[in-house]
Amino acid sequence: MILQQYKIVFGGSMGAGKSAAIQSLSDIPVLTTETMNTDVNAHQKQLTTVGIDYGEVTLDNDLKIGLYGTPGQNRFDFMWSVICKGAIGTVILIDHSSMNSLQDLEFYVSAFADFTDNMVIGITHIDEKPEKITTIYHEWLAKYQKSYPLFHIDARNKKDVLLLIDALIASVEVNLEKLNQEE
C-alpha cells in the first residue's frame, strides 16, 4: 500500500545511494523507476531513478513507514515538493567521492529545507576517497548554523540506514516537544 501514515523521503545527489538505502531497509520488494543513465557526465552509474523509489519498513514498535526516494538530478526537482508532501522528514544523502560534494550538500539542504525542517544527512562513498577529509561537512554545518544530524554511512548497510531513520525520528520528537513547550 503506497499511502502511509508515516513517510520519509530520501533526497540528495545522483549516485549517493538513495535507491540502495531504500533497498537495504525495505521489508517489501522496492518499486523503482530506474532507467538507463543518459547523464554520464554527472555520474558513471548505469541506471538512475527518474520518478520515485518506494519501499516500506516496520520498526520495532510496529510503526510502518513509507520510504520514498527522489531522483537526484536537478532537472527532476519539480517532483521533490510532491514527493515530500506529508513526510515527517528527509534523509539527504551526499556522495563523498564526488568532486562537488560540499556544493551538493549546500544545494540539497537548501532545496529540501523548502519542504521540511526535519532533516538528517548521510555522507556515503567515503571508502572511495579516503584521502578527502570528512570534517568539511561538519564545518559547513557549523558555518551556516545548521544543526542537522550528520553521519558517515554505507547506504547498502541496513544498520547504517536505520541509524539515519532513528536520528530523523528523534529529531521529529525533539521538535514536537519544543512546539508543545511553546504552547
Side-chain angles (χ1 to χ4, degrees):
M1 178 171 166
I2 290 186
L3 295 176
Q4 294 293 316
Q5 182 177 1
Y6 296 101
K7 172 181 181 179
I8 292 176
V9 173
F10 287 76
S13 56
M14 182 178 180
K18 298 176 297 295
S19 296
I22 292 171
Q23 289 278 351
S24 73
L25 200 55
S26 184
D27 297 330
I28 64 168
V30 174
L31 167 70
T32 64
T33 58
E34 289 192 326
T35 189
M36 293 299 292
N37 177 20
T38 59
D39 191 3
V40 292
N41 292 331
H43 203 282
Q44 293 296 314
K45 66 187 234 169
Q46 206 171 24
L47 298 174
T48 189
T49 301
V50 294
I52 65 166
D53 288 333
Y54 176 78
E56 292 178 0
V57 63
T58 303
L59 302 181
D60 291 339
N61 53 2
D62 290 331
L63 179 68
K64 190 176 280 192
I65 297 175
L67 309 169
Y68 292 75
T70 65
Q73 304 94 315
N74 300 4
R75 68 178 184 252
F76 296 118
D77 66 353
F78 65 92
M79 296 176 60
W80 298 346
S81 64
V82 174
I83 296 170
C84 287
K85 188 173 179 107
I88 62 171
T90 301
V91 173
I92 301 292
L93 295 180
I94 301 297
D95 181 354
H96 179 71
S97 69
S98 165
M99 296 288 290
N100 303 314
S101 60
L102 203 52
Q103 292 87 349
D104 289 343
L105 176 64
E106 184 171 1
F107 175 79
Y108 289 99
V109 165
S110 175
F112 282 88
D114 290 341
F115 315 124
T116 184
D117 293 332
N118 298 311
M119 277 191 261
V120 63
I121 300 165
I123 307 299
T124 63
H125 302 290
I126 293 172
D127 58 325
E128 294 177 23
K129 284 268 187 175
E131 70 282 359
K132 185 176 175 183
I133 59 172
T134 58
T135 56
I136 58 174
Y137 308 108
H138 292 287
E139 291 167 357
W140 183 88
L141 289 171
K143 178 179 177 181
Y144 292 101
Q145 299 176 342
K146 308 285 185 191
S147 58
Y148 302 122
L150 184 142
F151 301 93
H152 302 141
I153 65 134
D154 181 340
R156 301 164 297 183
N157 183 307
K158 184 175 185 170
K159 286 183 181 182
D160 285 4
V161 181
L162 275 173
L163 176 64
L164 295 173
I165 299 302
D166 288 343
L168 185 63
I169 291 170
S171 177
V172 169
E173 290 172 348
V174 166
N175 288 336
L176 284 175
E177 180 81 20
K178 287 179 186 177
L179 283 174
N180 290 336
Q181 290 176 354
E182 291 173 2
E183 293 178 350

